């Protein structure tokens, strides 16, 4: 998963939630890095700060088939809705909440998993029994179906 934000707070929360459920992530901080990484084809999902989420980025993500979740300030909730109308898969509000992160990213990864015969690249396929954490269990279970 690709996380694009210059703000350390949301970045640490998002990457932390992903690590908790066994999903790998790479963080970038600039629009140039974001565009290059998104173009690499190595990601299932991109979480991006609104300031970096241009119309060109949303078009690039649509072309590459990588859903985008936009991070917005509480005061700019309207911008999150506008981003979804422009092609973003969903949005997260700052300050980010761990449960909201889990819900939104779980929903987006499920959509990725449904649209492919391959497991999402972000999901680490495990051979251990499904853990007790519900989100992690679903992600691991989804990966198990694709073996």
């Amino acid at each position: 998963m690709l996380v694009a934000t210059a703000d350390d707070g949301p970045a640490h929360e998002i990457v932390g939630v992903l690590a908790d459920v066994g999903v790998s992530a790479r963080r970038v901080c600039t629009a140039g890095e974001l565009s290059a990484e998104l173009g690499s084809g190595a990601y299932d999902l991109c979480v991006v700060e609104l300031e970096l989420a241009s119309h060109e980025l949303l078009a690039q993500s649509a072309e590459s088939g990588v859903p985008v979740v936009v991070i917005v300030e509480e005061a700019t909730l309207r911008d999150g809705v506008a981003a979804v109308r422009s092609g973003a898969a969903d949005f997260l509000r700052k300050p980010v909440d761990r449960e909201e992160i889990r819900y939104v990213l779980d929903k987006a990864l499920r959509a990725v998993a449904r649209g492919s015969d391959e497991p999402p690249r972000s999901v680490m396929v495990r051979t251990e029994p499904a853990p007790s954490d519900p989100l992690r269990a679903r992600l691991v279970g989804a990966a198990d179906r694709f073996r």
Side-chain angles (χ1 to χ4, degrees), residues 5-96:
T5 176
D7 189 340
D8 288 337
H12 290 302
E13 286 292 326
I14 293 166
V15 171
V17 166
L18 294 172
D20 289 348
V21 296
V23 175
S24 60
R26 170 155 165 63
R27 179 184 177 199
V28 297
C29 298
T30 69
E33 292 173 316
L34 173 58
S35 182
E37 289 293 327
L38 193 57
S40 74
Y43 302 98
D44 302 306
L45 181 64
C46 179
V47 180
V48 60
E49 191 86 38
L50 180 64
E51 291 75 21
L52 300 175
S54 65
H55 289 290
E56 292 80 20
L57 169 78
L58 293 174
Q60 182 182 4
S61 78
E63 184 177 301
S64 65
V66 177
V68 171
V69 172
V70 177
I71 305 167
V72 299
E73 296 283 344
E74 185 71 40
T76 59
L77 191 57
R78 188 173 301 184
D79 291 333
V81 173
V84 170
R85 288 181 177 161
S86 295
D90 209 333
F91 64 93
L92 292 165
R93 294 172 298 159
K94 284 205 276 187
V96 293

Side-chain angles (χ1 to χ4, degrees), residues 69 90-92 99-108:
V69 172
D90 209 333
F91 64 93
L92 292 165
E99 287 305 311
E100 184 179 6
I101 294 167
R102 293 168 72 93
Y103 172 77
V104 168
L105 299 185
D106 178 50
K107 183 173 72 170

